[in-house]
Amino acid sequence: MQLRYSPTSPYVRKVMVTALETGLDKKIEKISTNPWDPETDLPKDNPIGKVPALKTDGGEVLFDSPVICEYLDAQQSGDKLFPASGDARWSVLKLQALADGILDAAVACVVEGKRPKELQSKDWIARQKNAIERSLDALEHSISKLDGGQLTIAQIAAGCALGYLDFRKPVDAWRKGRPKLAKWYEEFSKRPSMQATVPKDPV
Ligand SMILES: N[C@@H](CCC(=O)N[C@@H](CS)C(=O)NCC(=O)O)C(=O)O
C-alpha cells in the first residue's frame, strides 16, 4: 500500500496511528506529498487534493481518513477499532466525527492565519474557535465513552485532534475546565503509536 503522506497533517497521523496499532505500518510505503504545492500530482489520486490518500495493493485510491482507517481495520484480524454494528458502532463513528470536526475547525484557523493579514477574517476565525470550544466540551461530557475499554477509532481521532491543538494552538489552554479530557489525553498520548507520530515542523 502507498500513503500520500505529510508529516504535519493530523489526518495523516490518524492513519499512521491506526496502521501502527493494527500492525500494518510495515506494509505502507509513505509518499511525501505537500498538498499545497501548486505543482503536486496529488489530484490524480485524490481529486479533492487532500492528504491522506491511500493506494491499496489492488490499485484503488481511498480517501479520506475515516475511510482509510476503516479499510486498514478491515485488513487486520486483531481487535477491531470500528465496531461492526449496533449502538457501539454509531457511538464510535459519532465521536470520530466530533474529533475530526475539531480538526477541520483547527485546520481552518491555521490556514486562515497564514493568509495575508488584510485578507484574514476575524469572524471566520472566531466561528472556528467557537466550534472547537463547543466540541471540546462535548468530548469532556462524553469521556465515559472514550475512557477505558478496547481501543477504538474514536480514541485515535480524539488523541490526534488534541495533539494537533497542542501543536498549532488555534485555541488557548484547551485543558482549562476539561480535567477529565486532559487526564485521558495525558494517558492516551503515552501510547507508542502516539509517541511515534508526534508532529514536527520540517526543519
Ligand atoms: N476530511 C479529510 C481532511 C483532510 C485534509 O484536510 N487534509 C489537509 C492537510 S491537514 C489537506 O490536504 N489540505 C489541502 C487543501 O485543503 O487543499 C480527512 O479526514 O482526511
Side-chain angles (χ1 to χ4, degrees):
M1 294 179 275
Q2 290 183 327
L3 179 68
R4 292 294 202 142
Y5 174 96
S6 148
T8 55
S9 165
Y11 307 96
V12 170
R13 187 181 191 195
K14 262 181 78 191
V15 170
M16 285 312 301
V17 170
T18 299
L20 286 160
E21 293 286 355
T22 54
L24 290 169
D25 54 302
K26 304 268 179 323
K27 297 195 171 163
I28 295 178
E29 181 193 354
K30 294 186 211 162
I31 312 286
S32 182
T33 303
N34 176 359
W36 299 103
D37 176 355
E39 301 297 315
T40 182
D41 65 347
L42 175 61
K44 83 176 166 45
D45 282 338
N46 178 359
I48 305 165
K50 295 189 179 191
V51 291
L54 181 85
K55 189 177 278 180
T56 69
D57 291 342
E60 181 82 31
V61 182
L62 300 177
F63 48 84
D64 50 3
S65 65
V67 177
I68 297 171
C69 292
E70 189 153 6
Y71 175 79
L72 293 178
D73 198 34
Q75 306 309 302
Q76 60 115 6
S77 52
D79 290 342
K80 293 294 179 189
L81 303 173
F82 287 78
S85 60
D87 289 350
R89 177 169 172 81
W90 302 121
S91 169
V92 161
L93 290 184
K94 177 181 165 181
L95 281 179
Q96 177 185 217
L98 184 61
D100 285 356
I102 291 175
L103 280 182
D104 293 345
V107 168
C109 284
V110 172
V111 170
E112 186 71 7
K114 286 185 178 162
R115 277 155 43 92
K117 264 264 179 287
E118 65 279 11
L119 296 180
Q120 290 178 22
S121 163
K122 284 201 175 75
D123 290 348
W124 177 247
I125 292 174
R127 184 177 169 82
Q128 304 307 324
K129 287 186 179 194
N130 285 338
I132 296 171
E133 299 287 358
R134 285 193 307 267
S135 305
L136 286 168
D137 288 342
L139 276 185
E140 172 80 3
H141 290 123
S142 307
I143 201 70
S144 62
K145 294 186 175 139
L146 272 187
D147 207 0
Q150 195 177 303
L151 182 66
T152 68
I153 193 63
Q155 295 174 354
I156 292 174
C160 292
L162 298 174
Y164 190 71
L165 298 185
D166 280 347
F167 179 50
R168 294 296 192 210
K169 301 189 172 46
V171 291
D172 299 326
W174 68 260
R175 291 169 178 79
K176 202 167 159 219
R178 300 178 187 109
K180 296 180 207 147
L181 190 59
K183 187 161 176 288
W184 174 81
Y185 177 68
E186 193 184 333
E187 281 310 307
F188 188 79
S189 58
K190 290 178 187 160
R191 293 181 82 90
S193 61
M194 290 292 286
Q195 291 289 316
T197 55
V198 173
K200 289 176 213 76
D201 266 324
V203 277

